[in-house]
Amino acid sequence: RWATLNLLVATYIMAADNLTLWQRNYTLFEGDPITVATFGAAIWALTALILTVFGFRWLQKPVLVFVLILSAVSSYYMDTLGVIIDRDMVQNAMTTTIAESRQLITPQFLIHVALFGVLPAALVIWVRIRAQPLWRNLWTWGLMSVVFAGLFVGLTLSQYRTFAAVVREHRELQGSYQPGAPLAGALRYGKMMLASGKVVVAPLGRDAIKGPRLAAAKKPVLTVIVAGETARAADFGLNGYGRDTTPELAARKVIYFADVRSCGTATATSLPCMFSSFGREDYSYARGIGTENLLDVLSHAGVKVAWFENNTGDKDVAARVEKHRLNDLTDPAFCKNGECNDGIFLGFIKDFVANMQGDSVLVLHQIGSHGPAYYLRYPPAFERFTPDCRTTEFTSCTADQIRNAYDNTILYTDHVLARTIDYLAAQDRAIPALIYVSDHGESLGEGGLYLHGAPYFMAPDVQTQVPMLLWMSPAFQAALGVDAACVAARGAAQTLSHDSLFHTVLGLMNIETSARQDRLDLIAGCRHVSG
């Protein structure tokens, strides 16, 4: 009977694809057998209700096959990497590249999906459903829906206070439920995209003009913004890490900001947020794409802006400025496996400076330390921490090997930034400065979590605490009147966040506009009086 098949599939999904849910259920309810069993039964009833409501007649097998494969895919990433498939993770998946997706499809993943998804889906397709009159199917469908809805509500209400308190305080329990979490995430993502489909971009900073310092500069002023990828402050040598992962930057006169928090835990959120005028508390996808950003305000002031992309895309931040994609190049010195490491930037920086006609801001969006293929992010000369993990299958590597590969990516970022600083210091066409900040951090197995993208409410510090630094040439400090010691002291005296980037870049470039806020501008109060 069709109803029997739905019950079997619901039971199978709860038993085979919800290992993390059961583990968290047991831990959060302190192993109390009655509470654990009651909560598990309630979730089983919810699963059966979903399959009953949507898996009816000719829809049944397509729905069951889809849910089985979806649960197998999401449970693999949940159980092995600690990844929760919510709206933001769905957004990440929809905006990623083929190269990045390919790195996540490993032999172990394929075996898991084949055994836990494709095989049971094939059995569902193979089994023959007993034919029944339509009226009897409708009667059974209605009865089963009411029974499972009643069972779910009844079991939930039986310990409502306990369940409500735990679910409210530990939303990771909801995020562990397969197939409910990915289905809810996809629905929320679809709703978000539909709501933002007809957004008209609101103007921002149309009053922006060059301040007196910038206007009086004898050469074009250039600020290079390096938007880092997946670098966590915990592994930055400049941050006090036990390993010297930033030896070259330590030899340059950079200002390092030791306590900086990210706007999100994934590029799709953090990157547009950090270039927006909204802080983390006020930022949303709709607001981000519906309002001009830092690059637009700079353009309004007559500053040339160019974006060079070596990651998964600019997330619409550079929608209205000059843009160049580098990650599709085939330069054998920097590119292999369909991707380029960040050494590719330097040649383009030199070309950009050679052709500068006026004050400019150049944005470099790095591939940085993006996982899980850390070993692809640095050339052989930077395999200094060994043995390093040489695969995207983390279960095949030790914790030390994963950490070694990740630290090598930081070491290479250190080298790329140092070479960029050295070139900017040596050239004489522009008055240069550089600001670097990572979009988010990374988990390397702490607490069973890997990669990034954890919901912010449960994200560990290693995913939200990011490195940020500023370098200004002596000529830049003199021309723009910036007191470097004052900036360093101001940055050290407070906890910073991505909220400051928008305002600090405007202050650094001496752009006068009502969109800039002194309290978030690290340069405010640190400029020498003219004359």
Side-chain angles (χ1 to χ4, degrees):
R1 295 176 182 273
W2 69 269
T4 304
L5 180 60
N6 281 352
L7 293 180
L8 289 172
V9 171
T11 303
Y12 171 81
I13 289 174
M14 287 301 299
D17 295 323
N18 277 283
L19 174 62
T20 300
L21 175 70
W22 285 109
Q23 289 174 337
R24 287 178 173 166
N25 178 14
Y26 184 85
T27 299
L28 293 174
F29 293 119
E30 301 178 342
D32 178 63
I34 296 178
T35 305
V36 169
T38 303
F39 185 82
I43 299 302
W44 174 85
L46 177 60
T47 306
L49 176 63
I50 293 171
L51 297 183
T52 298
V53 170
F54 296 101
F56 179 66
R57 288 183 69 84
W58 62 269
L59 279 176
Q60 182 183 24
K61 288 191 176 183
V63 166
L64 295 184
V65 167
F66 170 75
V67 168
L68 282 165
I69 294 177
L70 173 67
S71 298
V73 170
S74 54
S75 69
Y76 173 82
Y77 292 119
M78 178 83 257
D79 296 342
T80 60
L81 300 176
V83 172
I84 289 180
I85 313 296
D86 59 1
R87 186 196 69 182
D88 291 342
M89 193 59 69
V90 172
Q91 182 180 5
N92 296 335
M94 296 300 292
T95 58
T96 192
T97 62
I98 294 175
E100 183 183 11
S101 300
R102 188 170 60 241
Q103 292 162 10
L104 290 168
I105 302 175
T106 64
Q108 187 172 351
F109 165 79
L110 293 174
I111 291 171
H112 178 92
V113 173
L115 292 177
F116 289 87
V118 176
L119 181 59
L123 291 173
V124 165
I125 294 172
W126 171 77
V127 73
R128 189 169 61 186
I129 303 299
R130 184 182 303 172
Q132 290 181 315
L134 178 59
W135 68 267
R136 182 172 292 177
N137 280 331
L138 287 172
W139 166 255
T140 304
W141 177 81
L143 179 63
M144 297 288 283
S145 298
V146 170
V147 167
F148 288 125
L151 187 60
F152 171 69
V153 171
L155 289 169
T156 301
L157 291 177
S158 69
Q159 298 194 51
Y160 178 74
R161 290 185 178 180
T162 301
F163 293 159
V166 169
V167 171
R168 183 171 55 250
E169 295 298 323
H170 299 275
R171 285 182 283 170
E172 68 271 22
L173 187 62
Q174 303 173 48
S176 306
Y177 168 44
Q178 317 301 336
L183 287 174
L187 288 172
R188 291 180 63 211
Y189 173 73
K191 180 181 178 181
M192 180 180 75
M193 296 307 293
L194 285 173
S196 60
K198 297 182 179 180
V199 167
V200 177
V201 180
L204 178 68
R206 295 294 176 93
D207 61 345
I209 59 171
K210 295 181 181 179
R213 290 280 192 174
L214 181 60
K218 296 180 180 179
K219 292 181 181 180
V221 172
L222 169 66
T223 293
V224 177
I225 302 173
V226 183
E229 168 66 40
T230 320
R232 65 190 216 170
D235 287 53
F236 241 64
L238 290 174
N239 198 56
Y241 182 42
R243 284 177 165 175
D244 191 5
T245 54
T246 54
E248 296 188 59
L249 285 172
R252 276 74 179 169
K253 293 182 178 180
V254 302
I255 300 170
Y256 182 77
F257 303 101
D259 191 4
V260 183
R261 298 287 170 170
S262 67
C263 187
T265 62
T267 304
T269 298
S270 271
L271 191 69
C273 180
M274 61 199 277
F275 282 90
S276 78
S277 61
F278 305 106
R280 188 180 76 83
E281 295 298 328
D282 297 323
Y283 175 81
S284 68
Y285 177 78
R287 280 186 165 187
I289 66 169
T291 309
E292 291 182 329
N293 58 46
L294 171 62
L295 308 188
D296 297 299
V297 177
L298 290 165
S299 297
H300 298 331
V303 174
K304 176 180 173 59
V305 180
W307 181 287
F308 284 77
E309 177 63 43
N310 191 38
N311 202 315
T312 58
D314 65 285
K315 315 305 178 188
D316 290 326
V317 175
R320 294 167 293 279
V321 301
E322 179 184 321
K323 182 166 52 178
H324 305 272
R325 288 193 65 88
L326 308 185
N327 48 339
D328 295 330
L329 301 179
T330 56
D331 186 332
F334 304 104
C335 308
K336 63 179 182 178
N337 300 314
E339 295 181 313
C340 301
N341 67 47
D342 291 324
I344 194 74
F345 280 125
L346 193 58
F348 288 92
I349 296 171
K350 292 178 178 179
D351 290 342
F352 183 86
V353 173
N355 293 290
M356 275 183 64
Q357 298 299 315
D359 303 320
S360 303
V361 168
L362 174 60
V363 185
L364 311 178
H365 186 201
Q366 292 183 305
I367 190 67
S369 303
H370 201 292
Y374 303 130
Y375 67 98
L376 296 179
R377 308 294 172 237
Y378 51 90
F382 288 83
E383 294 176 26
R384 298 188 192 173
F385 301 111
T386 57
D388 52 347
C389 184
R390 309 293 297 178
T391 176
T392 59
E393 198 76 80
F394 284 165
T395 55
S396 300
C397 297
T398 66
D400 287 342
Q401 289 171 336
I402 295 171
R403 174 62 64 88
N404 287 342
Y406 181 82
D407 284 351
N408 286 336
T409 69
I410 302 296
L411 193 69
Y412 189 55
T413 289
D414 168 70
H415 175 71
V416 170
L417 293 176
R419 285 198 64 193
T420 302
I421 289 171
D422 289 347
Y423 167 71
L424 292 174
Q427 58 78 41
D428 62 359
R429 282 186 52 83
I431 301 172
L434 178 147
I435 186 167
Y436 165 86
V437 61
S438 183
D439 61 349
H440 54 77
E442 185 87 328
S443 287
L444 300 177
E446 301 92 348
L449 294 179
Y450 292 88
L451 304 179
H452 52 267
Y456 208 93
F457 72 87
M458 62 169 283
D461 287 345
V462 290
Q463 290 195 32
T464 60
Q465 204 160 15
V466 294
M468 179 176 173
L469 60 88
L470 171 65
W471 171 83
M472 298 176 288
S473 67
F476 187 97
Q477 295 177 51
L480 278 296
V482 180
D483 184 338
C486 172
V487 175
R490 184 172 183 188
Q494 58 186 305
T495 296
L496 304 176
S497 72
H498 279 163
D499 295 5
S500 292
L501 182 67
F502 176 95
H503 308 277
T504 297
V505 171
L506 292 176
L508 192 65
M509 286 292 291
N510 190 213
I511 302 298
E512 296 184 352
T513 171
S514 58
R516 185 186 61 81
Q517 298 180 35
D518 280 354
R519 67 181 183 86
L520 293 172
D521 174 10
L522 294 174
I523 309 302
C526 291
R527 199 180 299 280
H528 298 300
V529 177
S530 299

